[in-house]
Amino acid sequence: MQKIEVPRIKPSPIADAKLQTKILDLLRQALNYKQLKKGANEVLKNLDKGICELVILAADCDPIEIVANIPIKCEEKNVSYCFVSTQASLGRACGISRPVVAATIVQSEGSQLKTQIIEMKDLIDQLFI
């Protein structure tokens, strides 16, 4: 009988209320600086290009298959990711009135958000500990 090895994946970080507020504020700022991309397909495309700084996913996504491979791809590309509670709150932070399942902040030359993104990555990494 052959042994099958299953890859180990870290547990997905879900933001608490305080961290979620900070994340959504950062997304609103990224929207103002035109560094925000929204939608699962857009996130996957930018992950493949290697220009993602931070990925935010909605925890209430149904069916989960829509965003199931995004955390795996984030792990491969060494990009921080986090889940917020609802698609509606993520959509509002992205500046639209409909639900959004995933959003990313992309790299930009001379970005004013660089220090805030680094702080957010540190806070998200603490969720894994």
Side-chain angles (χ1 to χ4, degrees):
M1 181 177 253
Q2 191 177 18
K3 205 177 205 183
I4 299 173
E5 235 178 269
V6 178
R8 303 282 298 172
I9 299 173
K10 294 191 282 188
S12 298
I14 298 177
D16 60 352
K18 187 176 177 183
L19 180 58
Q20 181 169 320
T21 303
K22 288 181 179 183
I23 289 170
L24 296 177
D25 286 341
L26 181 62
L27 289 177
R28 287 183 193 98
Q29 290 176 21
L31 178 65
N32 292 337
Y33 291 117
K34 299 187 181 2
Q35 286 183 256
L36 182 68
K37 301 293 181 187
K38 50 197 167 284
N41 290 336
E42 194 72 27
V43 170
L44 285 170
K45 184 170 61 172
N46 288 318
L47 276 169
D48 287 337
K49 288 181 184 177
I51 60 172
C52 290
E53 294 261 354
L54 181 64
V55 174
I56 308 301
L57 304 160
D60 67 343
C61 184
D62 188 40
I64 194 66
E65 288 81 13
I66 294 172
V67 294
N69 59 345
I70 294 176
I72 296 168
K73 188 147 314 237
C74 287
E75 297 266 333
E76 290 172 2
K77 301 287 185 176
N78 200 21
V79 175
S80 295
Y81 67 95
C82 186
F83 284 87
V84 294
S85 61
T86 66
Q87 296 176 34
S89 62
L90 188 54
R92 283 191 302 273
C94 292
I96 59 176
S97 59
R98 66 184 203 287
V100 173
V101 297
T104 184
I105 299 175
V106 295
Q107 297 172 352
S108 176
E109 298 240 353
S111 171
Q112 291 85 354
L113 300 174
K114 196 67 171 170
T115 56
Q116 290 172 303
I117 291 170
I118 292 170
E119 282 178 29
M120 199 60 59
K121 285 181 181 180
D122 291 341
L123 290 172
I124 290 169
D125 289 341
Q126 289 175 6
L127 293 175
F128 283 115
I129 298 172

